[in-house]
């Protein structure tokens, strides 16, 4: 490994990033520019930015590593990523979000919801949920980036974490959403190139598509007894129906993340950055291909890494990675690909992480500045951008701190938790905001609170993977989880919280007086 | 199929490709559609920008 060459490549990349951040800063003169990039974004920039924000190192390293462990069943998540995350999201959600957001002059996701339901509470409460819930997701993205820098550049994990965060701070704080989206588009392009190469290299290494899959299928008898007991049935088979692994795969990974994407604040806001639905139509094409090449490739390659390691080292991936799924992809890349590709992939991952992190920090900052500070103090204008910038710094400090203390194997789970929380808290309210005129302010609030409260309760007291390490249930009730009988300890909160939030939204809406016609007319002006 | 025995897995492998094709076709067919709202929205936008500037002047004395 030529560290000098790698450092030069990264330096050039960082200079390009900072230049684009500077371009964003130069063309931003008001809060509309800072928060929704002036609403005139090019469809390529919008779609690549959406895709690059959506797909982080967490999706590539964390979930790719999970595919090394679970196998190709994770492709169900790719399917949802494309069909729900792009097709449904852009066409059914994006178009109305853009129009209603424009009608109401909304510049953040909570602001859109708050103004649509004529409720300041919805805006600042949603802002609080985002500001408190997102740090976990933000820090697992940081961990993913820092882990790869640690493995590849042979630098200390803690140093990697710190350097990375400072660079992002520089362009997010000054460049606003324009800076974020310009850099996203460049980073997305790098990611695309990197993943295309990775796919071709892996298949050609393993003698083609069908032989590679066949070799993996033939390894089913090599599943360790410990994993088989949890339901692992091979890397090209779904886990045993109803087993612990099946529930984790289906409820947490596939449903939680697959559906949660619809209500991710940092993605929704992108629909408000384009000037017409035509840009969204074009974005569907770009986004669909992009996502297939991201998670589709990561999960296929992650699973196939087992074949590679078995042929070369006589062992399966998770054993090669010493039990830490997060390390599978980095180790595979370093072992299986030529040196020049390690550089390209390093850049790919750095780009993937930066594009996601930058939006996370921008969203958390705007939650503090626009949704919480402005709503509670009634002060609009210049000061709220200052508060937003301070919010971005605070969000970074929290994420870095969490990055130092979170345990291993956390990347995929941390992502899933935030996606699940967003789905339960926001999705019923967001869907009715766009499609159900009878939904009332009280109904929306009921859904928001129910979704948030049930999700938090479930993580603290029912879902074993979080309840045990957090230890609050043990402290209060003397046992790890409240319901020990299967499948409850492995059922993801989304399966309970989302239906309850939907019910709460519908029932309370029907029990309360419908919204004023005048307000609805303003919200839905021009909506077809 | 494709070297994979479980239909749930080869099925989803194909489903991923088909859903991408769906996005591709949708994008191509609608490439130039729904751009017509621009003119009206641009007017609204201008009015909004003016009011925003006024507000900033009032608040910040800029």
């Amino acid at each position: 490994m030529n560290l000098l060459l790698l450092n030069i490549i990264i330096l050039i990349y960082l200079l390009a990033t900072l230049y684009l951040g500077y371009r964003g800063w130069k063309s931003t003169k008001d809060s509309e520019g800072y928060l929704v990039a002036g609403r005139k974004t090019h469809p390529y920039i919008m779609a690549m930015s959406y895709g690059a924000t959506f797909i982080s190192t967490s999706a590539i390293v964390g979930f790719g590593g999970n595919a090394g462990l679970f196998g190709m069943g994770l492709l169900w998540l790719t399917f949802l990523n494309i069909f729900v995350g792009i097709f449904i999201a852009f066409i059914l959600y994006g178009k109305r979000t853009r129009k209603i957001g424009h009608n109401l002059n909304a510049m953040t996701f909570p602001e859109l919801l708050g103004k649509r339901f004529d409720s300041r509470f919805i805006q600042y409460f949603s802002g609080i949920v985002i500001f408190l819930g997102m740090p976990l997701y933000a820090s697992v993205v940081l961990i993913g980036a820092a882990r790869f820098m640690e493995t590849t550049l042979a630098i200390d994990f803690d140093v990697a974490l710190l350097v990375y965060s400072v660079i992002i701070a520089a362009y997010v704080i000054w460049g606003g959403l324009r800076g974020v989206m310009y850099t996203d588009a460049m980073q997305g392009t790098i990611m695309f190139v990197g993943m295309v190469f990775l796919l071709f290299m892996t298949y050609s290494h393993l003698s083609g598509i069908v032989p590679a899959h066949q070799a993996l299928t033939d390894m089913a008898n090599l599943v360790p007894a410990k994993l088989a007991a949890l339901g692992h049935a091979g890397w090209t088979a779904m886990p045993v129906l109803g087993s612990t692994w099946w529930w984790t795969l289906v409820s947490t990974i596939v449903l939680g993340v697959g559906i949660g994407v619809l209500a991710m604040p940092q993605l929704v806001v992108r629909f408000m950055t384009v000037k017409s639905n035509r840009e969204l139509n074009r974005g569907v094409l770009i986004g669909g291909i992009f996502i297939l090449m991201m998670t589709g490739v990561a999960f296929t390659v992650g699973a196939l890494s087992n074949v590679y390691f078995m042929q070369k080292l006589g062992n399966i991936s998770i054993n090669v990675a010493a039990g830490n799924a997060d390390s599978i992809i980095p180790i595979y890349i370093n072992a299986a690909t030529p040196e020049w590709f390690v550089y390209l992939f390093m850049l790919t991952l750095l780009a993937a992480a930066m594009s996601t992190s930058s939006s996370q920090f921008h969203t958390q900052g705007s939650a503090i500045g626009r949704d919480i500070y402005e709503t509670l103090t009634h002060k609009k204008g210049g000061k709220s951008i200052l508060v937003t910038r301070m919010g971005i710094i605070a969000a970074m400090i929290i994420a870095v701190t969490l990055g130092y203390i979170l345990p291993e194997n956390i990347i995929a789970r941390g992502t899933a938790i935030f996606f699940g929380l967003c789905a339960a808290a926001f999705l019923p309210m967001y869907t009715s905001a766009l499609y159900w005129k009878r939904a009332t302010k009280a109904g929306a609030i009921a859904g928001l609170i129910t979704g948030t409260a049930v999700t938090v309760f479930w993580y603290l007291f029912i879902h074993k993977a979080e309840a045990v390490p957090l230890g609050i249930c043990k402290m209060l009730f003397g046992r790890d989880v409240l319901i020990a009988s299967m499948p409850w300890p492995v059922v993801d909160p989304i399966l309970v919280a989302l239906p309850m939030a939907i019910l709460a939204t519908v029932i309370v809406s029907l029990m309360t007086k419908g919204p004023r016609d005048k307000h609805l007319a303003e919200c839905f002006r021009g909506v077809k | 199929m494709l070297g994979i025995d479980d239909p749930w897995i080869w099925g989803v492998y194909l489903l991923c490709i088909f859903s991408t094709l769906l996005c591709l076709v949708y994008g191509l067919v609608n490439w130039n559609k729904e751009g017509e709202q621009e003119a009206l929205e641009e007017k609204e936008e201008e009015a909004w920008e003016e009011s925003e500037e006024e507000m900033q002047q009032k608040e910040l004395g800029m």
Side-chain angles (χ1 to χ4, degrees):
Chain A
M1 163 82 55
N2 185 342
L3 276 181
L4 181 68
L5 178 65
L6 181 57
N7 281 319
I8 292 172
I9 296 173
I10 291 181
L11 192 68
I12 294 171
Y13 160 78
L14 290 176
L15 286 175
T17 304
L18 288 175
Y19 170 71
L20 291 170
Y22 168 77
R23 287 272 306 266
W25 174 72
K26 278 283 278 185
S27 50
T28 297
K29 57 177 176 28
D30 55 17
S31 55
E32 192 176 43
Y34 197 81
L35 296 171
V36 286
R39 295 191 204 273
K40 289 188 184 72
T41 307
H42 188 278
Y44 181 79
I45 292 179
M46 185 270 165
M48 289 304 266
S49 166
Y50 181 97
T53 301
F54 184 177
I55 304 303
S56 57
T57 35
S58 165
I60 297 171
V61 174
F63 284 79
N66 259 277
L69 184 59
F70 282 104
M72 291 170 89
L74 256 91
L75 285 175
W76 281 101
L77 176 57
T78 299
F79 165 64
L80 289 185
N81 287 159
I82 300 167
F83 189 70
V84 177
I86 299 290
F87 196 76
I88 305 258
F90 274 56
I91 299 169
L92 294 184
Y93 283 80
K95 290 182 179 180
R96 287 196 170 210
T97 301
R98 190 197 69 78
K99 186 66 190 161
I100 296 173
H102 181 99
N103 289 346
L104 298 174
N105 280 325
M107 294 191 199
T108 64
F109 181 48
E111 189 176 7
L112 172 79
L113 298 169
K115 283 188 167 165
R116 164 65 180 84
F117 289 110
D118 202 11
S119 158
R120 291 196 310 127
F121 173 80
I122 288 180
Q123 187 175 350
Y124 71 75
F125 189 83
S126 304
I128 292 170
V129 170
I130 292 167
F131 195 78
L132 295 181
M134 212 179 225
L136 180 65
Y137 178 35
S139 69
V140 295
V141 175
L142 294 185
I143 295 175
R147 280 260 175 266
F148 196 81
M149 288 164 84
E150 182 193 27
T151 326
T152 313
L153 292 173
I155 55 171
D156 189 58
F157 174 77
D158 299 342
V159 175
L161 201 58
L162 204 66
V163 169
Y164 170 85
S165 315
V166 170
I167 294 166
I168 294 177
Y171 73 85
V172 179
I173 292 170
W174 303 113
L177 195 61
R178 269 205 188 96
V180 170
M181 289 181 80
Y182 292 169
T183 50
D184 279 356
M186 176 191 72
Q187 289 154 349
T189 310
I190 295 174
M191 289 159 71
F192 188 82
V193 174
M195 295 308 273
V196 168
F197 272 113
L198 180 61
L199 181 70
F200 280 106
M201 229 177 284
T202 301
Y203 274 135
S204 69
H205 228 70
L206 304 174
S207 331
I209 297 176
V210 177
H213 295 168
Q214 191 62 53
L216 189 60
T217 304
D218 295 342
M219 285 174 60
N221 59 334
L222 297 172
V223 173
K226 207 175 78 185
L227 298 182
L230 295 172
H232 199 313
W235 290 274
T236 58
M238 286 296 278
V240 176
L241 188 72
S243 63
T244 305
W245 280 54
W246 187 89
W247 278 104
T248 308
L249 179 70
V250 172
S251 72
T252 304
I253 298 184
V254 175
L255 285 181
V257 178
I259 295 176
V261 62
L262 287 174
M264 293 297 275
Q266 75 278 25
L267 297 181
V268 171
V269 77
R270 275 161 177 66
F271 297 134
M272 299 194 262
T273 64
V274 291
K275 64 179 177 184
S276 80
N277 288 350
R278 187 183 59 192
E279 278 69 27
L280 295 176
N281 290 336
R282 296 176 181 184
V284 170
L285 182 151
I286 302 163
I289 299 171
F290 182 80
I291 300 295
L292 176 73
M293 291 317 293
M294 293 299 121
T295 64
V297 172
F299 301 164
T300 308
V301 170
L304 289 173
S305 68
N306 285 288
V307 179
Y308 176 83
F309 287 127
M310 187 46 76
Q311 286 174 357
K312 299 282 171 193
L313 306 172
N315 214 338
I316 59 168
S317 305
I318 190 70
N319 291 341
V320 173
N324 185 3
D326 293 347
S327 300
I328 293 177
I329 295 283
I331 294 175
Y332 171 76
I333 299 294
N334 280 303
T337 63
E339 199 175 310
W340 65 266
F341 184 76
V342 179
Y343 299 147
L344 175 61
F345 198 73
M346 171 79 209
L347 214 53
T348 302
L349 282 194
L350 201 59
M354 287 177 92
S355 55
T356 304
S357 295
S358 56
S359 305
Q360 288 169 332
F361 295 131
H362 184 270
T363 304
Q364 289 180 84
S366 66
I368 282 284
R370 181 87 181 178
D371 301 319
I372 301 173
Y373 172 81
E374 266 193 20
T375 318
L376 292 179
T377 61
H378 300 277
K379 280 184 186 153
K380 283 196 177 288
K383 227 189 185 153
S384 84
I385 292 193
L386 183 69
V387 178
T388 299
R389 287 182 166 142
M390 283 171 5
I392 292 171
I393 296 174
M396 297 192 101
I397 293 170
I398 297 170
V400 172
T401 313
L402 275 176
Y404 284 120
I405 56 179
L406 284 175
E408 286 186 339
N409 269 332
I410 190 74
I411 298 180
R413 184 160 295 280
T415 305
I417 290 175
F418 185 68
F419 274 65
L421 174 66
C422 282
F426 302 134
L427 195 54
M429 168 168 67
Y430 178 39
T431 311
S432 19
L434 304 181
Y435 283 98
W436 194 36
K437 291 184 180 172
R438 180 64 183 79
T440 64
K441 177 165 137 179
I445 292 174
L448 172 64
I449 291 178
T450 307
T452 310
V454 174
T455 304
V456 172
F457 172 81
W458 206 264
Y459 279 132
L460 295 182
F461 298 103
I462 311 282
H463 200 244
K464 206 174 157 189
E466 288 79 21
V468 174
L470 290 170
I472 293 172
C473 187
K474 182 96 178 165
M475 198 173 74
L476 292 178
F477 301 103
R479 49 187 160 162
D480 285 341
V481 285
L482 285 182
I483 314 170
S485 60
M486 274 293 279
W488 298 108
V490 288
V491 171
D492 195 80
I494 191 173
L495 286 185
V496 183
L498 182 60
M500 284 176 76
I502 294 173
L503 272 181
T505 310
V506 173
I507 293 171
V508 175
S509 286
L510 293 176
M511 282 166 52
T512 43
K513 193 170 167 285
R516 289 172 294 121
D517 287 342
K518 201 177 150 212
H519 177 66
L520 284 177
E522 191 199 343
C523 295
F524 286 90
R525 180 163 31 94
V527 173
K528 286 177 210 157
Chain B
M1 179 91 123
L2 294 164
I4 299 166
D5 296 337
D6 189 344
W8 285 94
I9 304 293
W10 63 254
V12 75
Y13 191 91
L14 293 179
L15 212 50
C16 290
I17 295 172
F18 288 142
S19 49
T20 306
L21 289 177
L22 179 71
C23 290
L24 192 93
V25 171
Y26 182 90
L28 287 177
V29 170
N30 295 292
W31 191 257
N32 272 323
K33 289 184 186 159
E34 296 182 274
E36 69 276 5
Q37 287 171 345
E38 283 166 34
L40 173 70
E41 283 187 12
E42 262 165 31
K43 259 186 221 159
E44 289 173 358
E45 191 82 354
E46 273 164 29
W48 182 85
E49 263 169 28
E50 270 168 31
S51 73
E52 179 85 343
E53 255 166 46
E54 256 172 46
M55 186 195 74
Q56 285 203 344
Q57 269 172 357
K58 228 192 284 171
E59 237 185 60
L60 305 168
M62 282 160 71

